[in-house]
Amino acid sequence: MARHSVYYEREGADRATRRANRRARYDVPARPQPSAIEAETGTGGGRRLRVDTHRATTRVLRVAYPFLAEGGLGADGTYMGSDVFSGGSFVYDPWVLYQSRVITNPNVLLAGVIGSGKSSTAKALITRSLALGHKAYVPCDPKGEWTAVAEAMGGATIKLGPGLATRLNPLDAGRKPATVEPDEWLRIVWSRRRALLGTLAESTLGRPLAAVEHTALDLALDTVCSQVATPTIPDMVVALFTPDSAFAERAGLRRTTLVDDGREVAHAIRRLVHGDLSGMFDGPSTTEFDPALPMVTLDTSWLGGGGNDEALRLTLACAASWLEAAVADPAAGNRYIVYDEGWRVMRDAALLRRMQEQWKLSRAWGVSNVLIVHRLSDLAAVGDLGSEARALAEGLLADCSTRIMLRQEPDQLSRTASLLGLTDVEIATIAKLPKGRALWRLPNRSFVVQLVRHAREVELFDTDARM
């Protein structure tokens, strides 16, 4: 036998045999043979891809590779469906997550194109939360989609529109919370009524009120409150057109001057009495909001489907004030307030200011505001870049810690990414989401969730019945 290096091999051993002996000596694994696909495409060739080792914490890796190895949000809350990447159940409750400091506020933004499952997602979240003791209020339902849902959940629907028998007095005081003193309650009611009247006037006039107009409105409200226990919009119109001399003198003004100062405001509010909205807010309420009901909706589909957005916005302002007392009651419990077709009510700066106040008070009131839009580019219709309305609308988005994004059109992706600060991976995910699947974006965490519906829910949430 001839000695070759450290091996002893038979003389005449071929090259393959000598190589096999060396591998066996040092336990070197044989080079894998390329697969059929690799051999056909030329990607194998027996060569190995060598990648440098990288080590990082899970805190860093979850940003570089989102959706992987995610533990979920816990088991306390409303079941929504399955986490696509982990395979586990996805449960959500804004009040539980706020208490655990996962989110900074309970407000929710829900966006998705038509046919993406946006309506089913919203209705599933609301109706399933009722079983946990939460309540819901839809202050503006322009298509009447929530009526059947409210009735099925044991709630009530208030149908409002010209020619209907229902009338709401937006200046109702509401029920006084047991924890509020009478004097303090009077100040709260006066402030709420004054804010509503200012919103109605600014929305109709299309501009902010002047200082003299604020004075005329203040004195008119003081006059009416001193005369009747529960003022109405017609009472305010009369007080603006014919101011009380005593209140004018007490403010150091002449009655004729006060008439001139409040003339345009009087004509603006008069629209609710003798204009296209007459019969809805021009007298005592014919119905009462029952805070004990699990769900209450305001069906405004009777306003017409012709795009009467101004009438819709004024109705929303009145309805929001009418129910604000019940929502602000500390003993009222947690409640969702759903703004469906949000793009239609976000074109008014005065109404946006009231919505922003409600957004800011969500934690104090224990409410979760849910804003539903088709696409975020709808903000472009709110106002010009740099305008107050645009800033207020974008502020509402910033005050939503939870963003539920269903499928968006390709031309909307860049706008969505810039407004919500989404990563490239999240944007690529949104672009190809099938119906009923959504990206749930929370601060520093993301989930892709497939909505799971019961057969009864499929029937109840159907919005394509006429198709």
Side-chain angles (χ1 to χ4, degrees):
M1 299 179 64
R3 181 173 180 177
H4 301 280
S5 182
V6 295
Y7 296 95
Y8 293 90
E9 298 170 335
R10 294 181 179 276
E11 290 188 10
D14 57 13
R15 185 176 179 180
T17 301
R18 293 195 300 271
R19 186 181 302 167
N21 289 339
R22 288 196 297 273
R23 288 203 184 103
R25 174 66 177 82
Y26 291 103
D27 294 326
V28 178
R31 180 178 299 173
Q33 296 297 318
S35 64
I37 297 179
E38 292 175 333
E40 181 179 351
T41 59
T43 57
R47 294 188 296 274
R48 296 180 182 179
L49 176 65
R50 298 184 180 274
V51 180
D52 294 338
T53 303
H54 178 73
R55 179 176 297 176
T57 64
T58 54
R59 183 186 182 118
V60 174
L61 287 176
R62 71 177 183 180
V63 177
Y65 302 96
F67 315 125
L68 300 182
E70 173 59 72
L73 298 175
D76 295 333
T78 303
Y79 170 76
M80 292 301 300
S82 59
D83 188 324
V84 173
F85 291 95
S86 70
S89 298
F90 181 80
V91 175
Y92 177 82
D93 189 302
W95 295 281
V96 171
L97 296 178
Y98 177 76
Q99 292 174 0
S100 59
R101 298 296 183 264
V102 175
I103 57 179
T104 57
N105 63 71
N107 301 317
V108 178
L109 169 68
L110 177 59
V113 298
I114 297 175
S116 61
K118 175 176 72 276
S119 180
S120 293
T121 301
K123 292 171 182 175
L125 173 63
I126 300 304
T127 56
R128 297 175 187 179
S129 297
L130 302 182
L132 303 179
H134 303 326
K135 300 176 183 178
Y137 168 51
V138 183
C140 185
D141 183 13
K143 294 188 292 186
E145 293 182 358
W146 291 84
T147 299
V149 177
E151 294 174 353
M153 296 296 109
T157 294
I158 301 172
K159 295 184 179 181
L160 194 64
L164 297 181
T166 305
R167 181 182 290 109
L168 303 182
N169 180 14
L171 300 182
D172 279 342
R175 300 181 182 181
K176 184 183 78 66
T179 57
V180 178
E181 297 296 329
D183 292 342
E184 181 183 358
W185 176 244
L186 291 177
R187 290 192 294 270
I188 293 175
V189 171
W190 190 95
S191 177
R192 185 182 301 122
R193 289 168 174 168
R194 176 62 180 82
L196 170 65
L197 293 169
T199 300
L200 294 176
E202 291 184 352
S203 297
T204 306
L205 294 173
R207 60 170 176 80
L209 296 183
V212 293
E213 292 174 326
H214 280 289
T215 301
L217 199 55
D218 291 342
L219 295 179
L221 182 57
D222 288 338
T223 301
V224 172
C225 290
S226 67
Q227 296 173 348
V228 295
T230 303
T232 61
I233 295 295
D235 295 333
M236 286 298 305
V237 174
V238 172
L240 285 167
F241 278 121
T242 58
D244 185 271
S245 300
F247 280 89
E249 292 176 1
R250 192 179 305 170
L253 300 172
R254 293 182 179 181
R255 181 176 179 277
T256 55
T257 302
L258 199 58
V259 171
D260 294 335
D261 292 342
R263 186 177 301 278
E264 290 194 38
V265 176
H267 282 288
I269 298 179
R270 181 182 179 276
R271 178 180 179 184
L272 297 175
V273 180
H274 300 289
D276 55 337
L277 298 180
S278 61
M280 294 191 296
F281 307 105
D282 54 0
S285 297
T286 60
T287 185
E288 184 179 7
F289 174 74
D290 187 356
L293 292 177
M295 188 173 186
V296 178
T297 69
L298 188 63
D299 186 349
T300 57
S301 61
W302 292 86
L303 288 174
N308 191 359
D309 292 344
E310 185 177 1
L312 188 66
R313 294 194 296 269
L314 293 176
T315 301
L316 176 60
C318 292
S321 177
W322 185 65
L323 295 164
E324 194 170 299
V327 172
D329 187 352
N334 296 328
R335 186 185 303 271
Y336 283 103
I337 301 182
V338 183
Y339 291 89
D340 205 350
E341 298 289 327
W343 61 274
R344 297 185 64 180
V345 300
M346 292 175 63
R347 299 179 181 179
D348 191 304
L351 183 56
L352 279 171
R353 283 193 291 270
R354 283 185 61 83
M355 292 176 64
Q356 185 186 52
E357 180 181 359
Q358 184 172 313
W359 253 247
K360 297 296 185 183
L361 294 174
S362 60
R363 292 172 295 180
W365 289 354
V367 302
S368 173
N369 300 292
V370 181
L371 180 63
I372 304 177
V373 298
H374 291 297
R375 50 189 179 271
L376 298 187
S377 62
D378 291 334
L379 294 177
V382 173
D384 297 331
L385 185 64
S387 64
E388 179 191 12
R390 178 74 71 87
L392 289 171
E394 293 182 356
L396 293 181
L397 300 184
D399 288 335
C400 292
S401 283
T402 304
R403 288 88 177 264
I404 307 173
M405 303 300 301
L406 291 99
R407 182 172 55 84
Q408 294 286 300
E409 298 294 349
D411 60 344
Q412 304 295 324
L413 296 179
S414 60
R415 179 65 173 167
T416 302
S418 62
L419 284 175
L420 302 183
L422 303 180
T423 65
D424 294 340
V425 176
E426 291 168 335
I427 286 296
T429 302
I430 292 175
K432 56 185 179 181
L433 289 174
K435 183 176 182 178
R437 186 172 297 182
L439 169 70
W440 290 63
R441 181 72 150 82
L442 282 70
N444 301 320
R445 302 177 73 177
S446 296
F447 305 87
V448 177
V449 180
Q450 177 63 51
L451 177 66
V452 177
R453 297 184 297 171
H454 186 270
R456 172 60 177 146
E457 291 180 322
V458 174
E459 178 184 355
L460 185 62
F461 300 164
D462 182 25
T463 58
D464 300 325
R466 295 187 179 182
M467 296 300 293

